[in-house]
Amino acid sequence: MFPINLRPSTAAEAGLQAGTLALVTLIPLLAGAHHAFLADLLGVSLRTIRLVHRSAGIVTCLLCPLHILIAVASKASLPLGNPQNLSAVIAALSLALLLLLACRIFRKFSYEIFLRVHQALSALLTYAVWRHLPSDRRFPRGYIYISAGLYLATSILQVGSIIFYNGILRYYRSRATLTHDHGAVKVSIQLQKQLEFDAGKYINLWTPSVGFWAFLQSHPFMVISWAPGKQHTIDLLIDPQSGLTRDLLYHAKQNHAINLLTMFSGPHGTSVAMDEYGSILMVASGFGIAAHLSYLKRLIYGYNARRTRARRIHLVWQIRHKTDAAVAQSLLNDALQDDKLDDGCILSISIYLESNDILTFPFGKRATVYPGTAPLSEIFLDEVLGKYIKKPAVEGAQKDVMALDSEKPMPEEKDIELGACKVSGYNDVRDQLRDLTRDYLEEGVELVELDYQPQ
């Protein structure tokens, strides 16, 4: 299917092969319009899809200059009056702009503008390459047709899923209500069709009435609500930055955000099964707390219903300002309120404020705020050894019997209690947890990096 000679005999043939390989790498780049939907379709994480997309893009950017340089060196002239040559120049300029706009500074300036320009340049690049290729042969234009076919097929599937989950053909469209709390935006979406949202899922929200360019924008937001079975309402917690999220905050403050017309794609993402772990450590930085809230609700519900093996959940939350904690205070209190079986012994919350000018003080119900950064090494080791797990008295009795029956004294036990460490945090936090977990991989301690990671 891919007729490529890995040992070209001439420089011109090597240039042609570089161009053909670049066309092959376009296939994963154009496999889908939306990375989240493509990840769900393939059953992999969004991080994996982004890694494949980035790797294919790098390979394309390395092969195309080689193809161009050899083509220029092997020909005396490239008249732009020739449509194929003109298309090649347009394709090269499009690729150069795509590479330039991939710089972080442009993405941070306005992600929405970056995304639409990126998509427009990708379409222009694909069309220019198609015009550049000879039309009298099945290949290499066949690679463009394969890419276009995959893109069209996944787009049709995605549109179909949006119609199905939003109930567009049978129900009224969903409506959203916006509120604000300490600088954050809380969105409550009234679904017109009952849907089941597992823990850890997110949606891409489209609210065309909040801004001039809002009809061209959709954003991924974590679903913080969870309930057994299907839901009528889902809740989102949003950290306003710029663009669409800033418009959402403006409308929430002006009380213009009641019954806003909205649509969404999803639910997207992978839900991590936590029911078989005895002890779970959750680590969050800033608004990374949003990625943990639905898991907290599901785990506590499972514990109360005797459907999970968890005996301890420790949430460690690193924040920079006191107002950050106030945003999620009511949500965390709700989780603690649900933790009522056995006098509330499963959930522990530790909040660390990046300031040494405060003293340790209680925060809401059964939560504590500590000054400074979280001592992750100490916390991780305590959880690994089960220092704070309440063990039934029968376990101690069994150990005493074993000690009496044995002629030799029992050795000191170092059982590994921690089953999983979930993180939605800054880069340095994730790096530290990777190093800590690496030493306990053989003992079954698993590090789970959630789909949403704050920047």
Side-chain angles (χ1 to χ4, degrees), residues 238-252:
I238 299 174
D239 178 20
Q241 298 291 331
S242 60
L244 178 64
T245 55
R246 182 176 56 193
D247 293 336
L248 292 174
L249 178 61
Y250 171 79
H251 281 268

PDB file of all heavy atoms in Angstrom, residues 238-252:
ATOM      1  N   ILE A 238     -15.117  26.121  36.402  1.00  0.00           N
ATOM      2  CA  ILE A 238     -14.267  26.709  35.363  1.00  0.00           C
ATOM      3  C   ILE A 238     -13.353  27.767  35.961  1.00  0.00           C
ATOM      4  O   ILE A 238     -13.795  28.630  36.738  1.00  0.00           O
ATOM      5  CB  ILE A 238     -15.131  27.334  34.250  1.00  0.00           C
ATOM      6  CG1 ILE A 238     -15.997  26.245  33.594  1.00  0.00           C
ATOM      7  CG2 ILE A 238     -14.272  28.021  33.198  1.00  0.00           C
ATOM      8  CD1 ILE A 238     -16.988  26.794  32.588  1.00  0.00           C
ATOM      9  N   ASP A 239     -12.093  27.707  35.581  1.00  0.00           N
ATOM     10  CA  ASP A 239     -11.100  28.715  35.950  1.00  0.00           C
ATOM     11  C   ASP A 239     -11.004  29.723  34.809  1.00  0.00           C
ATOM     12  O   ASP A 239     -10.447  29.420  33.758  1.00  0.00           O
ATOM     13  CB  ASP A 239      -9.743  28.044  36.179  1.00  0.00           C
ATOM     14  CG  ASP A 239      -8.656  29.051  36.529  1.00  0.00           C
ATOM     15  OD1 ASP A 239      -9.012  30.168  36.968  1.00  0.00           O
ATOM     16  OD2 ASP A 239      -7.466  28.707  36.381  1.00  0.00           O
ATOM     17  N   PRO A 240     -11.547  30.931  34.969  1.00  0.00           N
ATOM     18  CA  PRO A 240     -11.549  31.903  33.862  1.00  0.00           C
ATOM     19  C   PRO A 240     -10.137  32.364  33.521  1.00  0.00           C
ATOM     20  O   PRO A 240      -9.362  32.745  34.404  1.00  0.00           O
ATOM     21  CB  PRO A 240     -12.396  33.064  34.398  1.00  0.00           C
ATOM     22  CG  PRO A 240     -13.121  32.514  35.580  1.00  0.00           C
ATOM     23  CD  PRO A 240     -12.238  31.454  36.151  1.00  0.00           C
ATOM     24  N   GLN A 241      -9.814  32.329  32.255  1.00  0.00           N
ATOM     25  CA  GLN A 241      -8.528  32.813  31.780  1.00  0.00           C
ATOM     26  C   GLN A 241      -8.755  33.939  30.777  1.00  0.00           C
ATOM     27  O   GLN A 241      -8.821  35.090  31.140  1.00  0.00           O
ATOM     28  CB  GLN A 241      -7.732  31.653  31.167  1.00  0.00           C
ATOM     29  CG  GLN A 241      -7.408  30.539  32.143  1.00  0.00           C
ATOM     30  CD  GLN A 241      -6.411  30.958  33.195  1.00  0.00           C
ATOM     31  OE1 GLN A 241      -5.564  31.821  32.966  1.00  0.00           O
ATOM     32  NE2 GLN A 241      -6.502  30.355  34.379  1.00  0.00           N
ATOM     33  N   SER A 242      -8.886  33.586  29.521  1.00  0.00           N
ATOM     34  CA  SER A 242      -9.144  34.571  28.471  1.00  0.00           C
ATOM     35  C   SER A 242     -10.103  33.951  27.471  1.00  0.00           C
ATOM     36  O   SER A 242     -10.469  32.778  27.576  1.00  0.00           O
ATOM     37  CB  SER A 242      -7.834  34.981  27.780  1.00  0.00           C
ATOM     38  OG  SER A 242      -7.202  33.854  27.196  1.00  0.00           O
ATOM     39  N   GLY A 243     -10.527  34.745  26.512  1.00  0.00           N
ATOM     40  CA  GLY A 243     -11.397  34.217  25.476  1.00  0.00           C
ATOM     41  C   GLY A 243     -12.755  33.814  26.008  1.00  0.00           C
ATOM     42  O   GLY A 243     -13.433  34.563  26.713  1.00  0.00           O
ATOM     43  N   LEU A 244     -13.165  32.601  25.696  1.00  0.00           N
ATOM     44  CA  LEU A 244     -14.498  32.122  26.050  1.00  0.00           C
ATOM     45  C   LEU A 244     -14.719  32.100  27.557  1.00  0.00           C
ATOM     46  O   LEU A 244     -15.786  32.500  28.040  1.00  0.00           O
ATOM     47  CB  LEU A 244     -14.706  30.727  25.466  1.00  0.00           C
ATOM     48  CG  LEU A 244     -16.042  30.064  25.794  1.00  0.00           C
ATOM     49  CD1 LEU A 244     -17.200  30.851  25.198  1.00  0.00           C
ATOM     50  CD2 LEU A 244     -16.069  28.617  25.300  1.00  0.00           C
ATOM     51  N   THR A 245     -13.743  31.630  28.331  1.00  0.00           N
ATOM     52  CA  THR A 245     -13.936  31.545  29.780  1.00  0.00           C
ATOM     53  C   THR A 245     -14.083  32.926  30.405  1.00  0.00           C
ATOM     54  O   THR A 245     -14.817  33.106  31.379  1.00  0.00           O
ATOM     55  CB  THR A 245     -12.770  30.796  30.436  1.00  0.00           C
ATOM     56  OG1 THR A 245     -11.528  31.431  30.076  1.00  0.00           O
ATOM     57  CG2 THR A 245     -12.736  29.348  29.955  1.00  0.00           C
ATOM     58  N   ARG A 246     -13.398  33.914  29.854  1.00  0.00           N
ATOM     59  CA  ARG A 246     -13.557  35.289  30.348  1.00  0.00           C
ATOM     60  C   ARG A 246     -14.951  35.809  30.027  1.00  0.00           C
ATOM     61  O   ARG A 246     -15.570  36.510  30.851  1.00  0.00           O
ATOM     62  CB  ARG A 246     -12.495  36.192  29.723  1.00  0.00           C
ATOM     63  CG  ARG A 246     -12.526  37.646  30.215  1.00  0.00           C
ATOM     64  CD  ARG A 246     -11.375  38.420  29.604  1.00  0.00           C
ATOM     65  NE  ARG A 246     -11.408  38.348  28.139  1.00  0.00           N
ATOM     66  CZ  ARG A 246     -10.394  38.721  27.362  1.00  0.00           C
ATOM     67  NH1 ARG A 246      -9.280  39.175  27.908  1.00  0.00           N
ATOM     68  NH2 ARG A 246     -10.491  38.633  26.049  1.00  0.00           N
ATOM     69  N   ASP A 247     -15.478  35.468  28.871  1.00  0.00           N
ATOM     70  CA  ASP A 247     -16.856  35.861  28.523  1.00  0.00           C
ATOM     71  C   ASP A 247     -17.868  35.195  29.457  1.00  0.00           C
ATOM     72  O   ASP A 247     -18.863  35.817  29.856  1.00  0.00           O
ATOM     73  CB  ASP A 247     -17.161  35.491  27.070  1.00  0.00           C
ATOM     74  CG  ASP A 247     -16.338  36.297  26.075  1.00  0.00           C
ATOM     75  OD1 ASP A 247     -15.897  37.403  26.441  1.00  0.00           O
ATOM     76  OD2 ASP A 247     -16.139  35.818  24.947  1.00  0.00           O
ATOM     77  N   LEU A 248     -17.615  33.947  29.816  1.00  0.00           N
ATOM     78  CA  LEU A 248     -18.513  33.253  30.737  1.00  0.00           C
ATOM     79  C   LEU A 248     -18.533  33.945  32.098  1.00  0.00           C
ATOM     80  O   LEU A 248     -19.595  34.102  32.714  1.00  0.00           O
ATOM     81  CB  LEU A 248     -18.079  31.794  30.888  1.00  0.00           C
ATOM     82  CG  LEU A 248     -18.248  30.890  29.665  1.00  0.00           C
ATOM     83  CD1 LEU A 248     -17.636  29.517  29.923  1.00  0.00           C
ATOM     84  CD2 LEU A 248     -19.714  30.746  29.289  1.00  0.00           C
ATOM     85  N   LEU A 249     -17.361  34.360  32.578  1.00  0.00           N
ATOM     86  CA  LEU A 249     -17.300  35.057  33.862  1.00  0.00           C
ATOM     87  C   LEU A 249     -18.029  36.389  33.800  1.00  0.00           C
ATOM     88  O   LEU A 249     -18.753  36.769  34.738  1.00  0.00           O
ATOM     89  CB  LEU A 249     -15.834  35.269  34.268  1.00  0.00           C
ATOM     90  CG  LEU A 249     -15.610  36.040  35.573  1.00  0.00           C
ATOM     91  CD1 LEU A 249     -16.242  35.303  36.751  1.00  0.00           C
ATOM     92  CD2 LEU A 249     -14.125  36.267  35.815  1.00  0.00           C
ATOM     93  N   TYR A 250     -17.878  37.102  32.701  1.00  0.00           N
ATOM     94  CA  TYR A 250     -18.562  38.396  32.550  1.00  0.00           C
ATOM     95  C   TYR A 250     -20.076  38.218  32.628  1.00  0.00           C
ATOM     96  O   TYR A 250     -20.769  38.955  33.338  1.00  0.00           O
ATOM     97  CB  TYR A 250     -18.161  39.028  31.222  1.00  0.00           C
ATOM     98  CG  TYR A 250     -18.979  40.265  30.874  1.00  0.00           C
ATOM     99  CD1 TYR A 250     -18.697  41.489  31.459  1.00  0.00           C
ATOM    100  CD2 TYR A 250     -20.046  40.182  29.978  1.00  0.00           C
ATOM    101  CE1 TYR A 250     -19.456  42.618  31.166  1.00  0.00           C
ATOM    102  CE2 TYR A 250     -20.796  41.290  29.667  1.00  0.00           C
ATOM    103  CZ  TYR A 250     -20.497  42.510  30.265  1.00  0.00           C
ATOM    104  OH  TYR A 250     -21.257  43.617  29.969  1.00  0.00           O
ATOM    105  N   HIS A 251     -20.603  37.255  31.917  1.00  0.00           N
ATOM    106  CA  HIS A 251     -22.047  37.038  31.920  1.00  0.00           C
ATOM    107  C   HIS A 251     -22.526  36.553  33.283  1.00  0.00           C
ATOM    108  O   HIS A 251     -23.638  36.887  33.714  1.00  0.00           O
ATOM    109  CB  HIS A 251     -22.428  36.027  30.835  1.00  0.00           C
ATOM    110  CG  HIS A 251     -22.468  36.616  29.466  1.00  0.00           C
ATOM    111  ND1 HIS A 251     -23.615  37.138  28.905  1.00  0.00           N
ATOM    112  CD2 HIS A 251     -21.500  36.781  28.534  1.00  0.00           C
ATOM    113  CE1 HIS A 251     -23.357  37.596  27.695  1.00  0.00           C
ATOM    114  NE2 HIS A 251     -22.078  37.377  27.436  1.00  0.00           N
ATOM    115  N   ALA A 252     -21.702  35.768  33.972  1.00  0.00           N
ATOM    116  CA  ALA A 252     -22.094  35.317  35.305  1.00  0.00           C
ATOM    117  C   ALA A 252     -22.173  36.485  36.279  1.00  0.00           C
ATOM    118  O   ALA A 252     -23.090  36.566  37.106  1.00  0.00           O
ATOM    119  CB  ALA A 252     -21.097  34.274  35.808  1.00  0.00           C
TER     120      ALA A 252
END
